[in-house]
Amino acid sequence: MKLNYNEKSGHKWHRQAGLVDQSLIFSMKLNIGGDDESLLALLIQLNQLGASRIGKGSIVIMHNPEEVVKTSLLRGLLNSEISNNNCTWSDLQSYFKNEGMEINFSEHLTDIDIWIDKPRMTYDEVCPKLWLIHGNGKALLGSEKLPQLPETFSGICPTFIDAATLISGISSLLHIFLKQNSYFWKQPISDSWLTLTTRIDDISPQESLEIVSSKYGTGIANLTNDGLGTLVRFRIPLEDTPIKLFDKLIMEHQEESNLLSNYIDVGPFNSIDENNYINFSSSDLSKKIKNSNFLILGVGGLGSWAIPSIISGCDKSTISLTIIDGDEKVEIHNLNRQILYDYNSINKSKVDAAKQKLIERFDLPAHSIISICDNLSSDHLSKNKNHYEHSITLDAAFEVDNSKNHIKIMNSLDNMDVALACLDNQYSRTVLNKACYERKKPMINGGGEASQGLIEFFHENCCMICRYGEEEAFSLDKVSCQEEGIKPVNSIVTTTAFVGSMMAASALCALAKQQGYEIEMPVSRDWSDGLSSLRLDSKLPWLDEKCQNHI
């Protein structure tokens, strides 16, 4: 597994290196074409992956480099120097070159790997290996010849979920491309690290820990196999681990696969109707939503993708956001999938770094975003307050300071229209779910690790305990992409971007319904290896009672 990281990027891709062959991704050669804003969305995710590094691989775009590119739909995903100005493909080439990605241009490509476009009646003679068409809240994925749309198709209109639709479609397309071309390892590695080990003879493990220490904290001591001494081990933090040591791992790739025998829906709403016809007709979605107030709990992988899509769908002059996250610093290995952060964000609190980026990229007034570096706890449940029997233990486990930011959190909960749970543990989801239930507000829940994810909707008639049972709903297990997580997991941008963007689409539709729009809600979904399927929003059969009796 030869990684060949450079010194600037450091361990940026550490959390995906157990999933994919990063050396192959660095060397990726790709020909792409289609609609300009669509291709830009693909480039953003390719850059997060670390694709086509300068001197190793390249991306060839079927466009004139002097053409002006629309960036407004994706401005929340690009730094302000490029997103707030009219730019050409040549400008974007320079932008991504500074990120380390090699881009070139050709106005005529005969061998096209990926084509992304808006739905149209006819397409030129294009036969890409993979294609995506998107619009009107729908996205369709296929291979080779692009589909012929029916004569009744009347075009697309801007909607408030356009950004979410495009991002979810790109995520599926890119993940399937990686699967088809054997970029994934056959057997994923959850984590890898370097250990400093010392041997001390004629001493017990307990005694050894009293006389040997390191700047990395307390070690772990065990008897040697011969029973004559003790081995004391210290885990070396990622930032102090030489990158090239990970080159020594040798692993087997997954075999190439063709996952697409038919067209696949990958957007918030289906483009294939009950008669198996392609239907991109209007979904009666408005262009922007006004007077919105969202609460986002967690601004890591999921939250950092959900928030820009939410803002893109709202009137900037009337939007209010509260972002809550207890992570006190952005770390280098967050950067492969958390789109709101870059190298300058490292060691800043996530909420402060996220707020700064959002204000810069969207040109928002500072008062429109409330950022709170804290954890949600049972003390923030105000109405019909009933502390769970677990609350003292759980709050202590998550190191909750019940006085810190208490009033700000309570006010934000009282003022929210919709909440998003972009979290890594069930307990915090359940606390937020109870806060939403008390206030009769919907909650969109999401989760993702490696190549698996979920998006689901909670309302007054179903809660976390209904769906998962009390033991699971109050679980302390923390699925974490942090180095010291209870259950360390791999994480890749395709999964976090799909789940985060779909959460945004659901949250925007939930608010639109509150405001009287007659629209359907996107269905709850499971995500697995680039494909999504229906997730049943059902209660456990033995919990046939009202939520107020148990949550």
Side-chain angles (χ1 to χ4, degrees), residues 363-382:
D363 194 23
L364 292 169
H367 65 77
S368 63
I369 301 178
I370 298 171
S371 58
I372 305 173
C373 186
D374 211 334
N375 295 295
L376 191 68
S377 78
S378 57
D379 270 3
H380 299 125
L381 304 175
S382 58

Side-chain angles (χ1 to χ4, degrees), residues 158-332:
T159 77
F160 57 74
I161 58 172
D162 282 345
T165 302
L166 174 55
I167 293 166
S168 65
I170 293 293
S171 303
S172 293
L173 177 147
L174 183 52
H175 198 99
I176 288 174
F177 172 82
L178 296 174
K179 293 282 290 185
Q180 286 185 340
N181 292 278
S182 296
Y183 285 92
F184 281 89
W185 299 120
K186 186 174 183 179
Q187 178 60 53
I189 293 177
S190 297
D191 203 357
S192 52
W193 61 86
L194 181 67
T195 301
L196 173 64
T197 303
T198 62
R199 173 172 174 147
I200 308 175
D201 289 325
D202 303 322
I203 194 170
S204 71
Q206 184 176 355
E207 290 175 306
S208 69
L209 290 176
E210 295 175 358
I211 63 173
V212 178
S213 62
S214 84
K215 68 176 183 178
Y216 303 124
T218 304
I220 297 173
N222 303 99
L223 283 173
T224 57
N225 289 335
D226 57 17
L228 301 177
T230 292
L231 296 179
V232 184
R233 296 181 175 89
F234 301 93
R235 177 170 174 165
I236 307 300
L238 193 60
E239 60 269 21
D240 287 352
T241 302
I243 295 164
K244 289 186 177 296
L245 285 178
F246 293 112
D247 292 356
K248 310 306 177 185
L249 295 173
I250 301 173
M251 298 170 64
E252 187 178 350
H253 295 86
Q254 286 186 0
E255 294 181 1
E256 291 187 10
S257 61
N258 184 7
L259 302 180
L260 298 183
S261 55
N262 296 300
Y263 301 150
I264 299 174
D265 269 311
V266 291
F269 297 106
N270 285 345
S271 59
I272 302 175
D273 64 22
E274 61 275 9
N275 297 316
N276 209 32
Y277 292 123
I278 297 174
N279 181 2
F280 271 90
S281 61
S282 174
S283 304
D284 296 324
L285 303 172
S286 68
K287 187 175 180 180
K288 299 286 183 183
I289 296 180
K290 296 183 178 181
N291 302 315
S292 56
N293 194 316
F294 295 91
L295 184 143
I296 298 94
L297 187 58
V299 287
L302 306 184
S304 70
W305 283 94
I307 297 170
S309 290
I310 286 173
I311 298 175
S312 294
C314 293
D315 181 341
K316 291 193 304 175
S317 65
T318 60
I319 191 173
S320 294
L321 291 165
T322 297
I323 54 177
I324 304 173
D325 195 307
D327 282 356
E328 295 183 350
K329 63 179 182 178
V330 175
E331 299 183 68
I332 184 125

